[in-house]
Amino acid sequence: MTTQIRVFEPALCCNTGVCGPELDENLVRFTADLDYLKAEGIDIARHNLVNDPAAFAANPVVVNYLQVAGSEGLPLVLVDDVTVATGRYPSRAEFLRFAGRPEGADLGLTASSGCCADDDAAPAAAGCCGGASEPSRATTGDCC
């Protein structure tokens, strides 16, 4: 079964909330994260109270939440109809964890690539691995 993540947002001026004279950096970040998560195949959707009130009314968890917290408590984030966050947008790492895909998982990252690689592209002096010898850290599995 695929995990479903649903984000129920307060009334926004448009579907993304990234419009108007003053941009909310949290909405900009969330919109970018949403696009990224969808591209990763994660089942995530957002519902705006103004543009999609039927989605709010159709979900008993959301209805009950709104009866207690009101729209001031939004956004509400549900994972398989379980409340996981309220009043804020989770980070990309949190969304990945909610979807069962921790950040960095299945992204092709290995000890043989990146800052801990046994190559000249990332000198140890630059030290993303704390200045230790990258090849020795890569072989021990103690990479960044």
Side-chain angles (χ1 to χ4, degrees), residues 5-29:
I5 301 173
R6 298 295 177 258
V7 181
F8 294 87
E9 300 180 281
L12 302 172
C13 58
C14 60
N15 284 334
T16 63
V18 186
C19 51
E22 295 181 33
L23 291 181
D24 180 338
E25 290 301 318
N26 290 322
L27 285 171
V28 172
R29 180 188 52 81

Side-chain angles (χ1 to χ4, degrees), residues 18-135:
V18 186
C19 51
E22 295 181 33
L23 291 181
D24 180 338
E25 290 301 318
N26 290 322
L27 285 171
V28 172
R29 180 188 52 81
F30 171 64
T31 299
D33 289 347
L34 186 76
D35 291 341
Y36 172 83
L37 296 165
K38 285 181 177 180
E40 289 295 308
I42 293 172
D43 183 1
I44 185 167
R46 72 192 307 179
H47 302 286
N48 179 332
L49 186 57
V50 169
N51 297 328
D52 196 6
F56 286 73
N59 188 311
V61 175
V62 177
V63 170
N64 290 336
Y65 178 78
L66 289 174
Q67 288 173 344
V68 173
S71 63
E72 298 82 19
L74 297 173
L76 169 65
V77 181
L78 304 180
V79 175
D80 295 332
D81 284 331
V82 174
T83 301
V84 295
T86 62
R88 67 179 182 86
Y89 292 97
S91 67
R92 181 179 294 187
E94 287 176 295
F95 279 119
L96 287 167
R97 191 178 77 239
F98 297 154
R101 297 179 61 193
E103 195 164 22
D106 299 320
L107 298 179
L109 301 177
T110 66
S112 63
S113 66
C115 69
C116 295
D118 187 9
D119 60 24
D120 295 328
C128 82
C129 291
S133 167
E134 261 73 27

